[in-house]
Amino acid sequence: MKLNKAFLSALLAACLLLTLLSPAALAIGEEPGLAGTGTCGGEGDGSNLTWLLDAEGTLTISGEGRMMDWQTGDPPWYELREQIVSVVMQRGVTRVGNFAFEDCPNLTTITIPDSVAVIGEFAFYDCSLLSELLIPTSVTSIENYAFSCCVGLNSLSIPGSVTQIGDGAFSYCSALTELTISDGVTTIGDYAFSFCTSLTSVTVPGSVTQMNSGLFNTCSALEEVRLLDGVTNIGFRSFSDCKRLTSVTIPGSVTSIGDEAFLHCETLPELTLPYGVTSIGGSCFGYCYALTS
């Protein structure tokens, strides 16, 4: 039986197409309805966790153990990040990797299971449409800049299981109006809530003995601050440029107030310092024009 040239050409084209559609070539969008799939684990060969992004924009992470830590721009779904509208991590994931979901501009919801203990550095950095965040009581550490620049985040409750909040972890969350820090949190890093310009009141539990530098720096809408008994130190620029601050409660446990701690708190009318304060830093009350008593 003779095969004509047209049939041979069609057969060759079909073979080439099958080659192009091999499993290796289908890491992104290998099935109808999928935008991408692959592995993302941080243990062994990485297969302990897998990821799947469906056509509706839901990125699901499943498996057991910790996620890989990446550098900026390195997660396997990074090129697809504009398609991601929700992230669902299934129970079994123990760590959210560094830079895992940074700069996902259309991400609106995330599900963090009660198996996660650590949220890594820059994990959700600059996810501007993220408005709600539920941190489970399994989480013990929120690392540096994990939610920085999440400008749509409007309320936040940090459970007492979280003993460590990293530097700048929630900085520049400019829509944040409600903040609850539960008793049990012990360490809050430098500038952790700086430039949260919609925040109006805050209570710092006594379990946070050391208020590090710039903790609420330039929270320009902040009006009321309550420090609970147990706090011993108010650090450098802790409340500087909080220009609407009118009420500050400082407990008897405080012994030192750092340089420029209340610099440019222009509407603060009065302040009562406990007898135990032995050190007040330079320019601590600089440009506090309304401070009369």
Side-chain angles (χ1 to χ4, degrees):
M1 178 180 176
K2 294 184 178 180
L3 300 177
N4 60 38
K5 291 183 178 180
F7 178 83
L8 288 173
S9 297
L11 183 62
L12 178 60
C15 291
L16 288 173
L17 181 60
L18 288 172
T19 301
L20 290 172
L21 295 179
S22 66
L26 290 173
I28 300 296
E30 63 178 343
E31 298 176 17
L34 288 187
T37 186
T39 61
C40 58
E43 300 173 11
D45 62 358
S47 62
N48 61 298
L49 294 181
T50 59
W51 66 277
L52 185 151
L53 178 61
D54 66 24
E56 284 71 44
T58 298
L59 177 61
T60 301
I61 311 292
S62 57
E64 300 282 339
R66 62 184 179 87
M67 198 180 296
M68 182 178 289
D69 286 327
W70 294 281
Q71 297 296 319
T72 182
D74 285 345
W77 48 77
Y78 187 77
E79 296 301 322
L80 301 170
R81 66 191 185 282
E82 292 186 1
Q83 299 180 38
I84 300 172
V85 296
S86 65
V87 170
V88 176
M89 287 170 273
Q90 296 185 345
R91 198 172 194 282
V93 179
T94 59
R95 175 187 170 92
V96 181
N98 296 349
F99 292 93
F101 308 104
E102 63 153 339
D103 190 24
C104 290
N106 298 308
L107 177 62
T108 57
T109 61
I110 58 175
T111 300
I112 302 174
D114 60 6
S115 55
V116 168
V118 179
I119 300 174
E121 296 183 358
F122 294 90
F124 295 93
Y125 175 79
D126 198 22
C127 292
S128 57
L129 292 186
L130 183 65
S131 60
E132 296 182 4
L133 174 62
L134 179 61
I135 301 172
T137 55
S138 59
V139 174
T140 60
S141 179
I142 301 172
E143 298 190 345
N144 299 343
Y145 304 97
F147 294 92
S148 180
C149 295
C150 289
V151 296
L153 188 64
N154 52 52
S155 65
L156 175 65
S157 179
I158 300 174
S161 62
V162 176
T163 58
Q164 178 176 328
I165 300 172
D167 295 346
F170 296 94
S171 58
Y172 294 93
C173 290
S174 56
L176 187 64
T177 57
E178 297 180 18
L179 171 63
T180 301
I181 305 172
S182 299
D183 188 57
V185 176
T186 57
T187 303
I188 304 179
D190 295 344
Y191 298 90
F193 297 97
S194 61
F195 293 90
C196 291
T197 53
S198 296
L199 189 64
T200 58
S201 67
V202 66
T203 298
V204 179
S207 56
V208 181
T209 57
Q210 171 79 27
M211 292 187 62
N212 288 336
S213 298
L215 192 54
F216 295 96
N217 174 56
T218 317
C219 290
S220 54
L222 191 61
E223 298 176 358
E224 181 183 11
V225 169
R226 294 179 65 241
L227 309 182
L228 300 187
D229 191 55
V231 176
T232 61
N233 173 265
I234 300 174
F236 169 73
R237 282 185 171 260
S238 288
F239 298 100
S240 64
D241 289 291
C242 294
K243 296 186 177 183
R244 296 186 186 177
L245 190 61
T246 57
S247 175
V248 179
T249 301
I250 300 178
S253 55
V254 170
T255 59
S256 65
I257 303 176
D259 294 347
E260 302 180 11
F262 294 94
L263 181 71
H264 285 293
C265 290
E266 298 172 358
T267 60
L268 184 64
E270 61 181 2
L271 189 66
T272 300
L273 300 180
Y275 286 109
V277 173
T278 59
S279 174
I280 298 176
S283 299
C284 181
F285 303 106
Y287 302 99
C288 292
Y289 299 120
L291 191 61
T292 57
S293 65

